[in-house]
Amino acid sequence: MASIILPAIPSESRPGRFGIYGGRYVPETLMAALVELEHEYDVAKADAAFQAELADLLHNYAGRPTPLYFCKRLTEQLGGAKIYLKREDLLHTGAHKINNALGQGLLAKRMGKKRIIAETGAGQHGVATATVCALLGMECVIYMGEVDMARQELNVLRMRLLGAEVRSVTSGSKTLKDAISEAMRDWVTNVRDTFYILGSALGAHPYPTMVRDFQRVISKEMKQQILEKEGRLPDVVVACVGGGSNAIGAFYEFIPDRNVRLIGVEAGGRGPALGDHAARFQGGAPGVLQGTFSYVLQDGDGQIALTHSVSAGLDYASIGPEHAALHDTGRAEYTSCDDAAALDAVVKLARTEGILPALESAHAVAEALRIVPTLPPHEILVVNLSGRGDKDMGILAQELKLQSI
């Protein structure tokens, strides 16, 4: 069998493809909607008025640009490279998800859609979507796994207060994968009047490209800010990876800069056994899930495996196709962090810098804690702090036994 050679830097040489990954694997009833979406997005992307409206909302409503913060105490304690945090946690709604929700919400308005659906795992995309729907005056339905609703109750309450209907998904693992499946079933049924705001850089084309484009503002700002502060690019950029939206947003502008290491951190969960983690590059294989060809955690018969992570937002069996291509070409490195290390990272950052990260973001912080002492002091490492941790207080109280410390 002939080997497949991917490009040195993944690019969409064919629309919707990153090397061999990506594509559009959906029921026929959704093909016309996806083709329409691709066309409308291409037109909007070139429309100065659309871009100006989005830029205005990102600045005056969401709070961009977010700061690039130097962790002085943490850097001193670890004794290695300088550590910076890209503070996406300071955005309105508390995470990077608002960047994409605003972009897709404006696109839905442009297309004349009145009803919005979305999926959510950790609840941050659900909150961001509910927020945008309230802002734009649209009906909003959010699908969320029953397990995730229990462990992210605060975000469920926030979505309902914002006017969204939150529908509990009780099938399968009752987590993000199943929420996406239910949202897709809804879209198939109501495709004429409904817009699906997909929250991560996955799914059928054009979603991986569109979500990446709305999130690339992270690395655009990061590059400008680090040049202003340090006069050069960082040596390392680290981000957690579930579906991959915050990571591709943090990586994208640095992909051509080959001296900048890009490190994605997956959920190592409880351990290496299938079903105990969500590390697609450390136990998965290429396959199709929910509209795209990428790495998927699956058993020997090709059935989608159960996943586990202490963080609901990383608890997903597949990964965005652009990350798959970055992995195969070696342009980005992908590692994993287990639950215990992520919890330790929450405590370390909270008590050293007074910043409480989301459990998802804590996986990236944990990787920084691991590698910074091995790097020389003149090097620079940036962590994309994708979200804040107040949503996780119930989990943290249980796992860390906060009442006793």
Side-chain angles (χ1 to χ4, degrees):
M1 180 178 177
S3 61
I4 298 171
I5 301 175
L6 297 178
I9 297 177
S11 63
E12 291 173 273
S13 54
R14 291 179 292 159
R17 289 286 183 177
F18 306 92
I20 62 172
Y21 300 105
R24 190 180 280 155
Y25 300 87
V26 295
E28 187 177 350
T29 48
L30 286 181
M31 289 299 290
L34 287 166
V35 170
E36 178 193 22
L37 177 60
E38 180 183 13
H39 171 73
E40 292 291 340
Y41 175 61
D42 286 343
V43 173
K45 194 162 50 172
D47 185 342
F50 176 86
Q51 294 296 341
E53 186 176 9
L54 177 58
D56 179 73
L57 285 172
L58 287 171
H59 177 64
N60 292 304
Y61 187 71
R64 304 209 71 91
T66 58
L68 187 66
Y69 169 73
F70 174 54
C71 295
K72 183 175 184 292
R73 292 191 66 229
L74 191 59
T75 297
E76 290 173 350
Q77 285 187 18
L78 293 177
K82 292 182 177 180
I83 305 169
Y84 281 88
L85 302 179
K86 181 58 172 161
R87 298 292 308 275
E88 295 298 288
D89 60 310
L90 295 179
L91 285 170
H92 180 42
T93 73
H96 70 291
K97 295 294 187 181
I98 192 69
N99 303 323
N100 171 60
L102 281 169
Q104 289 197 50
L106 290 179
L107 187 59
K109 183 181 79 169
R110 181 188 181 96
M111 294 173 66
K113 304 292 186 180
K114 303 296 184 183
R115 180 176 182 267
I116 301 296
I117 60 172
E119 85 299 329
T120 196
Q124 288 303 122
H125 175 57
V127 169
T129 300
T131 298
V132 169
C133 287
L135 176 69
L136 300 178
M138 295 178 169
E139 179 186 351
C140 183
V141 176
I142 307 293
Y143 288 91
M144 191 171 188
E146 186 178 56
V147 168
D148 291 339
M149 288 183 70
R151 58 180 172 171
Q152 302 283 209
E153 184 180 10
L154 175 61
N155 276 344
V156 174
L157 297 175
R158 292 170 75 193
M159 286 182 268
R160 288 173 172 161
L161 183 59
L162 287 159
E165 177 188 350
V166 184
R167 294 186 182 176
S168 175
V169 178
T170 59
S171 58
S173 61
K174 307 174 187 178
T175 57
L176 180 58
K177 171 179 69 69
D178 311 289
I180 294 173
S181 294
E182 287 301 318
M184 290 182 73
R185 290 187 187 100
D186 185 317
W187 198 25
V188 167
T189 305
N190 302 288
V191 70
R192 291 183 180 276
D193 67 350
T194 295
F195 189 104
Y196 180 13
I197 298 184
L198 184 58
S200 198
L202 45 80
H205 179 63
Y207 281 106
T209 299
M210 186 166 62
V211 174
R212 179 206 64 206
D213 288 350
F214 289 137
Q215 294 293 359
R216 66 187 289 189
V217 65
I218 300 170
S219 53
K220 281 184 178 179
E221 290 179 5
M222 192 190 296
K223 180 176 278 193
Q224 179 182 347
Q225 290 166 327
I226 200 66
L227 287 171
E228 291 171 354
K229 290 177 180 291
E230 294 284 351
R232 68 181 186 86
L233 296 180
D235 297 280
V236 187
V237 176
V238 184
C240 66
V241 188
S245 63
N246 95 88
I248 202 63
F251 292 171
Y252 191 70
E253 295 296 321
F254 295 103
I255 290 174
D257 302 308
R258 306 292 263 181
N259 291 328
V260 179
R261 289 175 64 191
L262 307 175
I263 302 178
V265 187
E266 299 184 284
R270 293 180 292 246
L274 193 64
D276 284 345
H277 64 87
R280 287 65 49 99
F281 294 127
Q282 299 181 42
V288 174
L289 178 63
Q290 295 174 329
T292 195
F293 180 64
S294 185
Y295 277 75
V296 182
L297 287 167
Q298 53 192 305
D299 64 20
D301 296 322
Q303 298 300 305
I304 305 304
L306 294 175
T307 55
H308 164 78
S309 173
V310 71
S311 58
L314 303 186
D315 197 356
Y316 183 61
S318 188
I319 190 168
E322 193 161 8
H323 286 291
L326 288 170
H327 169 270
D328 282 9
T329 61
R331 178 60 192 93
E333 309 164 38
Y334 294 86
T335 185
S336 65
C337 162
D338 64 25
D339 290 348
L343 290 164
D344 287 346
V346 170
V347 175
K348 182 71 170 178
L349 189 62
R351 296 184 178 182
T352 307
E353 295 290 344
I355 296 171
L356 181 62
L359 276 167
E360 291 78 16
S361 311
H363 286 67
V365 175
E367 177 65 9
L369 297 178
R370 187 183 71 82
I371 68 171
V372 158
T374 71
L375 302 174
H378 66 268
E379 292 202 358
I380 300 165
L381 180 145
V382 181
V383 175
N384 191 40
L385 201 72
S386 55
R388 69 182 189 225
D390 51 334
K391 70 180 181 62
D392 296 316
M393 285 309 303
I395 299 171
L396 293 170
Q398 179 180 349
E399 295 289 337
L400 299 174
K401 298 179 173 55
L402 292 180
Q403 289 83 357
S404 63
I405 63 174

